[in-house]
Amino acid sequence: MVLLSTSKYTKVMPIPMQTVSEWYTTIVERAGLAEHSPVRGCMTIKPYGWALWENIQRPLDEAFKATGHQNAYFPIFIPLSFLAREAQHVEGFAQECAVVTHYRIKTDTATRSVSPDPEASLEEPLVVRPTSETIIWHSFKDWIHSYRDLPLLINQWANVVRWEKRPRLFLRTAEFLWQEGHTAHATAEEALQEARMILDLYASFVQEYLAIPVIKGVKTPNERFAGAVETFTIETLLIDGKALQAGTSHFLGQNFARAFDVKFLNAQNELEYVWATSWGVSTRLIGAVILSHGDEKGLILPPRIAPIQVVVIPIWRKEEEQAAVTQKAREVTEQLKAKGIRVKLDDDPQHRPGWKFNEWELRGVPLRFAVGPRDLEAGTVEVAWRHSAHKSTYPQSEAIARIEEWLMDIQKGLFDRAKARMESQIYRTDNYTEMREILEEKGGFIFAHWDGTTETELAIKEETGATIRCIPLEMPSEEGRCIYTGRPSSQRVLFAKAY
RNA sequence: CGAGGCGUAGCGCAGCCCGGUAGCGCACCUGCUUUGGGAGCAGGGGGUCAGCGGUUCAAAUCCGCUCGCCUCGACCA
């Protein structure tokens, strides 16, 4: 269908459905975002990928602080017994925890082998955090005494480990980076409001910065975070028709407060358990960007998070042209820089312009300025748009003057395109056979009635592979009959096969 | 954990069926010509053929075991 490149130097690489995973792995590696590490399930994030992550972190971090949150840091190791404090929580993570059992290794110089020293086993094994609720609530017990200590609004940027059986770069890795917010409140209403506020914040961020449309919703009890009373989610659909949870926000009720005995004195001098939330987004967002905007030529990055927004490429034929062209390219680069644009001048003599064009397109740079002898004469630059493949020549002054406008248009264009694509992949149906056919053939969201039971949810999952991604928050309720059992239903939910 | 596939130069691969001097493309080094969509020619460097064991005069190739990776399932905020 769509081809990565027809050049004789690159393999022809079809995208859709069956081969998306191959396309995805190729793009991640060739664009220099990340690579597989010697440790199964873990990845090495390369400089370009890290720059992208930094551009995601920065605005999020600012938004958290602007809404009153403070950053802190808690240990990576959690005593095994802490996890056991909250029954549902431990059950949810038991299958995927890495455990540290020794504090020393033994070396054998003869065989040049090393192994854990059997005489140095830890009295209490330590779990490498799969999430930090337990160790954070251990601290919260000491931090919270009165209603004057509330609300307590904490965030941490950290790595976590979940021993995934089937890892994918960025989308599901054994170790990943994220932020996790943990808050404590005096009332249920306030905690719930916090969870909803963060959900809105996530949705705005993902839509406005990553240009990815999302649907806000509530998870079913079956899909809920282990230990939560209510889990809110933002869900999106990727180019292959599979759903991806892009962020979650949990209302934890008093579950962790009870488990860790965190009480406060209210204004009436009465002792009460606090109310809590937790919420997070991860490096998975990078996977979402790749699989929302990418095409046959590679990555396409939204300008607001692109490590390089404009690449400037000098072009010359004869040696005597080189100096003049390069100088002009430098001037253009400086003018863009002066306007706060993230710009790269690629004057590497190792590669010819054509090679550079392909390379920077593969890496998703939104705009390319080319400056050659013709432009030198005319005082122009050639501007090329990555996402639309449009190419035009403008007077240099106009190109510089319009750069912000162009980048904003690209940002909006990417969002509109992704939104139109997602909407075209939402199928509203009341017919189970049709639902199965759609899921089988095209993927996408199935917007259908559900009787509200876990039993039905699991049966549908068993038969179709699709799960309920969420009960949308911003859709009107509507009476109907469950697509599977025919029992009464008061709202449609979104089914999909998910990452 | 189940089913398939793959481990040969930094990367991508051929060679294996049918045993006999380890090859190709890209990348790298040197030189010249080139440079507006992945440059051309000439010369050159680079290998524990995943590991261990077996068969054989001889093993990348045949046999056995082990390890690793990928894809698809099962499982999984």
Side-chain angles (χ1 to χ4, degrees), chain A residues 242 431-441 443-444 446 456-468 483-484 494-498:
Chain A
K242 281 196 194 167
N431 182 309
Y432 186 59
T433 309
E434 187 188 17
M435 169 177 174
R436 295 189 67 161
E437 281 171 11
I438 296 167
L439 285 170
E440 190 69 32
E441 286 159 25
I446 306 291
T456 299
E457 184 180 3
L458 293 175
I460 291 174
K461 183 182 177 187
E462 177 69 27
E463 291 177 21
T464 68
T467 49
I468 299 178
I483 193 165
Y484 189 74
L494 286 171
F495 289 89
K497 291 187 185 175

Side-chain angles (χ1 to χ4, degrees), chain A residues 224-375:
Chain A
R224 198 135 68 197
F225 173 70
V229 172
E230 196 88 275
T231 289
F232 300 101
T233 178
I234 48 172
E235 298 283 328
T236 189
L237 259 193
L238 305 178
I239 50 178
D240 57 355
K242 281 196 194 167
L244 185 82
Q245 177 177 298
T248 51
S249 177
H250 315 290
F251 170 58
L252 302 174
Q254 294 175 310
N255 289 349
F256 285 90
R258 287 181 201 280
F260 287 85
D261 193 34
V262 182
K263 295 175 188 164
F264 73 103
L265 276 173
N266 65 22
Q268 287 75 48
N269 203 35
E270 297 157 344
L271 218 43
E272 285 185 60
Y273 285 114
V274 301
W275 299 83
T277 78
S278 70
W279 28 273
V281 294
S282 70
T283 35
R284 169 181 269 194
L285 289 177
I286 293 174
V289 169
I290 299 163
L291 283 168
S292 288
H293 305 305
D295 69 7
E296 76 281 2
K297 290 161 121 182
L299 269 186
I300 296 180
L301 297 176
R304 293 184 88 170
I305 58 160
I308 299 168
Q309 295 171 312
V310 182
V311 63
V312 178
I313 299 178
I315 297 163
W316 68 86
R317 268 178 201 288
K318 300 166 218 139
E319 202 135 321
E320 57 266 29
E321 291 169 347
Q322 183 180 354
V325 165
T326 302
Q327 201 199 320
K328 174 59 78 180
R330 277 210 188 99
E331 179 191 306
V332 170
T333 303
E334 288 308 318
Q335 286 173 340
L336 289 171
K337 247 183 216 165
K339 300 194 81 175
I341 305 299
R342 294 191 289 272
V343 54
K344 174 170 177 70
L345 169 65
D346 185 359
D347 57 357
D348 183 351
Q350 299 299 318
H351 295 295
R352 298 161 42 134
W355 191 93
K356 295 175 185 176
F357 292 174
N358 285 293
E359 186 67 11
W360 293 113
E361 281 166 4
L362 170 66
R363 305 188 85 185
V365 175
L367 279 177
R368 178 183 73 230
F369 281 17
V371 180
R374 293 205 298 259
D375 301 298

Side-chain angles (χ1 to χ4, degrees), chain A residues 71-340:
Chain A
N71 283 335
Y73 186 78
F74 298 83
I76 190 172
F77 299 125
I78 299 177
L80 205 48
S81 58
F82 278 33
L83 275 177
R85 299 279 284 274
E86 218 288 332
Q88 286 177 309
H89 189 64
V90 68
E91 211 174 301
F93 287 101
Q95 300 301 312
E96 48 189 27
C97 283
V99 184
V100 179
T101 55
H102 292 73
Y103 60 86
R104 193 163 67 208
I105 55 171
K106 215 167 124 178
T107 59
D108 186 329
T109 39
T111 61
R112 296 178 63 194
S113 67
V114 293
S115 56
D117 187 341
E119 301 192 347
S121 61
L122 291 168
E123 244 169 71
E124 181 180 2
L126 299 170
V127 173
V128 181
R129 62 181 165 218
T131 178
S132 303
E133 272 78 3
T134 58
I135 199 149
I136 286 179
W137 279 85
H138 175 82
S139 288
F140 277 12
K141 179 178 167 57
D142 291 337
W143 294 4
I144 298 168
H145 301 102
S146 119
Y147 70 95
R148 296 178 202 277
D149 298 324
L150 299 174
L152 181 58
L153 308 172
I154 298 296
N155 177 63
Q156 85 164 343
W157 290 95
N159 58 340
V160 289
V161 169
R162 295 179 190 176
W163 216 259
E164 299 290 349
K165 289 187 180 133
R166 203 179 148 195
R168 310 276 325 266
L169 291 166
F170 290 116
L171 293 171
R172 174 172 284 110
T173 45
E175 178 194 23
F176 59 91
L177 305 176
W178 74 348
Q179 58 70 216
E180 45 180 324
H182 297 272
T183 70
H185 306 262
T187 66
E189 296 69 38
E190 194 185 305
L192 203 51
Q193 198 184 347
E194 163 84 3
R196 291 293 304 268
M197 186 274 286
I198 293 294
L199 184 76
D200 290 343
L201 190 157
Y202 282 163
S204 311
F205 171 77
V206 171
Q207 300 196 139
E208 288 165 23
Y209 282 79
L210 311 187
I212 296 173
V214 296
I215 294 172
K216 292 188 265 190
V218 183
K219 286 291 188 185
T220 62
N222 181 55
E223 295 278 330
R224 198 135 68 197
F225 173 70
V229 172
E230 196 88 275
T231 289
F232 300 101
T233 178
I234 48 172
E235 298 283 328
T236 189
L237 259 193
L238 305 178
I239 50 178
D240 57 355
K242 281 196 194 167
L244 185 82
Q245 177 177 298
T248 51
S249 177
H250 315 290
F251 170 58
L252 302 174
Q254 294 175 310
N255 289 349
F256 285 90
R258 287 181 201 280
F260 287 85
D261 193 34
V262 182
K263 295 175 188 164
F264 73 103
L265 276 173
N266 65 22
Q268 287 75 48
N269 203 35
E270 297 157 344
L271 218 43
E272 285 185 60
Y273 285 114
V274 301
W275 299 83
T277 78
S278 70
W279 28 273
V281 294
S282 70
T283 35
R284 169 181 269 194
L285 289 177
I286 293 174
V289 169
I290 299 163
L291 283 168
S292 288
H293 305 305
D295 69 7
E296 76 281 2
K297 290 161 121 182
L299 269 186
I300 296 180
L301 297 176
R304 293 184 88 170
I305 58 160
I308 299 168
Q309 295 171 312
V310 182
V311 63
V312 178
I313 299 178
I315 297 163
W316 68 86
R317 268 178 201 288
K318 300 166 218 139
E319 202 135 321
E320 57 266 29
E321 291 169 347
Q322 183 180 354
V325 165
T326 302
Q327 201 199 320
K328 174 59 78 180
R330 277 210 188 99
E331 179 191 306
V332 170
T333 303
E334 288 308 318
Q335 286 173 340
L336 289 171
K337 247 183 216 165
K339 300 194 81 175

Side-chain angles (χ1 to χ4, degrees), chain A residues 26-48:
Chain A
T26 306
I27 292 306
V28 170
E29 286 172 354
R30 290 200 43 209
L33 294 177
E35 60 192 24
H36 291 282
S37 79
V39 184
R40 181 184 157 74
C42 295
M43 62 178 171
T44 302
I45 300 177
K46 298 177 76 177
Y48 195 56

